[in-house]
Amino acid sequence: MRLVQDYISRSAPRWAGPGSEGVRGLSGSCPGCSPLEPPSRGRGAAAWRILRCRRLPEPSPFLTQPNQAQSQPPAPVPAADPSVTMHPAVFLSLPDLRCSLLLLVTWVFTPVTTEITSLDTENIDEILNNADVALVNFYADWCRFSQMLHPIFEEASDVIKEEFPNENQVVFARVDCDQHSDIAQRYRISKYPTLKLFRNGMMMKREYRGQRSVKALADYIRQQKSDPIQEIRDLAEITTLDRSKRNIIGYFEQKDSDNYRVFERVANILHDDCAFLSAFGDVSKPERYSGDNIIYKPPGQSAPDMVYLGAMTNFDVTYNWIQDKCVPLVREITFENGEELTEEGLPFLILFHMKEDTESLEIFQNEVARQLISEKGTINFLHADCDKFRHPLLHIQKTPADCPVIAIDSFRHMYVFGDFKDVLIPGKLKQFVFDLHSGKLHREFHHGPDPTDTAPGEQAQDVASSPPESSFQKLAPSEYRYTLLRDRDEL
């Protein structure tokens, strides 16, 4: 930019008119021009932010010489073709020419900036439904964390827009939660700023919790735009699958089909929970006994496959079946997803086990499914690696040597289940969870057994105790990263 400015300054006398001061610089003004407040954003608008011609004089239709008086204009030159009317040439005055050149140079060297789409109740459904991928920033102007994110979010949008120029490929949008509290409540916003990802209008379960940098946001969107489905070129590849993962395999006659488009849409949503693969044409033919189909291969070499029997073109049915397979009843908690699980707000029923102890995990999963399936919406069923989560074990006075251990974290206190073998006693694990909901666990930790649990003739004793404080609550969203809404009514 500086080189262009110097060049124009050196060249100005060659084409400056009589009495002209030349060009003062790209940030200054020229005769007939004045500064202007930016009316909008973008390349063209950026040029007008610097200069705007105050007025455009009526252009002279004749070539003129300085200080030469002309009493009458020369006669127009007759046209060769009588049916064609010759119009006089139009020439801009030199001051106007300088303004135009400055605006052109500024336009060329001004970076393109993308306007962040502001969502409201009238446009939110249309914009999100038409976007392949949309990253939405739920913010409040008074929140300092929101203010810090704004320029980063805008720059990341500029970077991605260059790679995905189609307006419906990727949309960066924002919602002012103070102005649109109904939208904030609709998407259960409990902290500012919250970044949520949408695909074709559907909000993804996992919000963005990574670094708040231009590079991290851009990399995240690139990952979301990558193909989540690995194509199988030879059925022999099935034998080399990573069986520690949950694998969903689709066998299709052709890629350009409604069946595959539904499968692809589901994969875009659930690719963080399952590995998706597909095969087509002759490669998939041995597996297409009665048409296209979808197979679920659960973790473990001996686990039997499961076949999808629903309508292939029904998105809701297909999605629900695959989600049930990809998101297990008992999930593993890690340091990466701990914040997400904690923010769901449900107490944890956790099995602490050694990583190689798959037998205890299988027993726990079976008993949860048998005894507690009805409690799925009231408590999170989790398992954790004893080595990785030594600190929570210490809170309940346990070590990895004591594993497997079952405990409840209510986000206030932690409560320990009895001997792990007792989980096989019918109804024992279910009663442990019911005692949490009824408050019995809390009372007993503070005051000893309830009177109803005391044997006849035995005097009840008030045994004061101090239950361990919650350990997993520390994985909740940090107050140094978000403005947390203590009261949902604040929205």
Side-chain angles (χ1 to χ4, degrees):
M1 186 63 134
R2 181 64 183 173
L3 292 174
V4 174
Q5 181 178 351
D6 291 342
Y7 173 77
I8 294 176
S9 299
R10 290 195 305 270
S11 304
R14 301 178 186 175
W15 45 267
S20 171
E21 300 86 7
V23 178
R24 298 178 183 176
L26 293 177
S27 60
S29 61
C30 67
C33 299
S34 64
L36 176 70
E37 292 298 322
S40 61
R41 302 181 62 172
R43 258 180 140 170
W48 288 99
R49 277 203 295 270
I50 298 179
L51 295 172
R52 178 187 64 173
C53 286
R54 184 184 295 116
R55 63 179 179 82
L56 275 176
E58 290 298 324
S60 171
F62 314 108
L63 283 173
T64 60
Q65 296 296 330
N67 301 323
Q68 179 179 349
Q70 295 189 7
S71 57
Q72 293 183 355
V77 178
D81 185 351
S83 64
V84 177
T85 303
M86 292 291 290
H87 295 282
V90 177
F91 295 90
L92 287 177
S93 63
L94 289 178
D96 297 325
L97 182 61
R98 291 196 298 274
C99 286
S100 301
L101 182 57
L102 282 172
L103 291 172
L104 178 61
V105 171
T106 306
W107 180 85
V108 170
F109 286 93
T110 300
V112 177
T113 53
T114 304
E115 187 72 42
I116 302 298
T117 304
S118 294
L119 302 180
D120 54 39
T121 53
E122 295 182 358
N123 67 7
I124 185 169
D125 290 328
E126 179 182 357
I127 291 176
L128 294 183
N129 289 341
N130 292 326
D132 295 341
V133 172
L135 186 62
V136 181
N137 175 17
F138 294 86
Y139 73 97
D141 278 332
W142 50 263
C143 166
R144 68 185 182 95
F145 301 110
S146 296
Q147 296 167 6
M148 294 165 60
L149 181 61
H150 282 323
I152 297 172
F153 195 70
E154 291 177 359
E155 188 175 347
S157 175
D158 293 340
V159 172
I160 289 298
K161 196 64 177 177
E162 292 184 0
E163 300 179 27
F164 303 97
N166 188 302
E167 63 179 358
N168 290 331
Q169 284 183 297
V170 179
V171 171
F172 276 70
R174 59 187 174 192
V175 174
D176 185 337
C177 293
D178 281 342
Q179 297 294 323
H180 304 288
S181 57
D182 54 332
I183 297 179
Q185 291 174 351
R186 173 180 172 182
Y187 294 110
R188 301 182 298 278
I189 304 302
S190 59
K191 62 187 183 306
Y192 302 135
T194 293
L195 297 177
K196 287 187 176 288
L197 185 77
F198 291 77
R199 288 185 177 276
N200 303 115
M202 177 179 287
M203 184 180 72
M204 300 298 96
K205 183 177 181 181
R206 290 183 174 87
E207 67 182 59
Y208 177 78
R209 300 175 186 271
Q211 291 182 346
R212 294 175 183 178
S213 68
V214 173
K215 183 180 183 303
L217 286 172
D219 287 345
Y220 174 70
I221 293 299
R222 292 186 190 104
Q223 180 184 8
Q224 297 302 318
K225 289 296 293 180
S226 62
D227 191 346
I229 305 174
Q230 176 186 342
E231 184 173 347
I232 298 171
R233 306 291 183 180
D234 189 327
L235 290 183
E237 297 176 25
I238 302 295
T239 60
T240 63
L241 289 180
D242 183 354
R243 295 307 298 267
S244 66
K245 297 180 179 179
R246 298 170 181 270
N247 294 284
I248 302 288
I249 308 175
Y251 299 99
F252 303 94
E253 183 178 358
Q254 56 185 3
K255 195 169 187 177
D256 185 16
S257 64
D258 291 338
N259 289 349
Y260 181 72
R261 279 188 280 273
V262 170
F263 182 76
E264 186 178 36
R265 186 179 171 191
V266 174
N268 277 323
I269 297 171
L270 296 174
H271 68 273
D272 288 335
D273 301 294
C274 270
F276 285 82
L277 305 97
S278 62
F280 305 97
D282 293 337
V283 176
S284 66
K285 191 173 182 179
E287 296 291 337
R288 291 187 286 107
Y289 308 112
S290 58
D292 296 350
N293 63 56
I294 300 173
I295 302 293
Y296 167 60
K297 287 185 174 294
Q301 294 293 339
S302 59
D305 295 349
M306 300 180 68
V307 181
Y308 173 62
L309 301 176
M312 298 284 288
T313 56
N314 188 316
F315 169 78
D316 292 332
V317 175
T318 306
Y319 173 79
N320 289 334
W321 186 84
I322 295 180
Q323 183 192 42
D324 182 63
K325 306 299 177 289
C326 292
V327 182
L329 182 61
V330 179
R331 294 176 285 176
E332 182 179 10
I333 184 170
T334 64
F335 291 113
E336 288 74 23
N337 67 4
E339 181 180 294
E340 172 189 333
L341 292 172
T342 302
E343 199 176 13
E344 290 182 12
L346 299 177
F348 292 168
L349 176 66
I350 309 177
L351 167 69
F352 294 94
H353 68 106
M354 302 304 292
K355 188 173 182 178
E356 61 274 10
D357 182 12
T358 57
E359 181 181 355
S360 296
L361 175 58
E362 186 175 354
I363 292 173
F364 181 70
Q365 290 171 329
N366 292 338
E367 293 306 316
V368 166
R370 183 179 294 112
Q371 301 184 40
L372 295 170
I373 189 66
S374 61
E375 297 300 308
K376 185 177 180 180
T378 65
I379 192 167
N380 268 328
F381 309 115
L382 308 170
H383 66 99
D385 187 334
C386 284
D387 280 330
K388 292 182 179 179
F389 288 91
R390 288 171 177 264
H391 187 69
L393 285 173
L394 291 175
H395 268 252
I396 55 177
Q397 300 179 353
K398 301 289 185 179
T399 68
D402 298 312
C403 290
V405 174
I406 298 175
I408 284 177
D409 191 316
S410 69
F411 297 153
R412 291 182 62 191
H413 300 296
M414 293 187 71
Y415 309 100
V416 183
F417 185 70
D419 193 317
F420 175 76
K421 295 178 182 179
D422 292 345
V423 75
L424 295 173
I425 300 176
K428 188 76 172 179
L429 190 61
K430 184 175 184 178
Q431 188 62 51
F432 183 53
V433 173
F434 280 6
D435 287 347
L436 168 73
H437 295 325
S438 68
K440 182 179 179 180
L441 291 179
H442 187 75
R443 291 194 306 272
E444 287 186 343
F445 265 110
H446 284 289
H447 308 293
D450 282 352
T452 54
D453 295 334
T454 306
E458 182 180 347
Q459 185 177 1
Q461 297 181 351
D462 189 3
V463 181
S465 65
S466 178
E469 292 184 354
S470 167
S471 179
F472 288 92
Q473 177 64 23
K474 297 174 183 177
L475 296 180
S478 170
E479 295 186 21
Y480 296 100
R481 181 178 172 84
Y482 300 100
T483 298
L484 302 178
L485 300 181
R486 299 299 182 187
D487 187 351
R488 295 296 178 94
D489 294 335
E490 291 181 28
L491 292 175

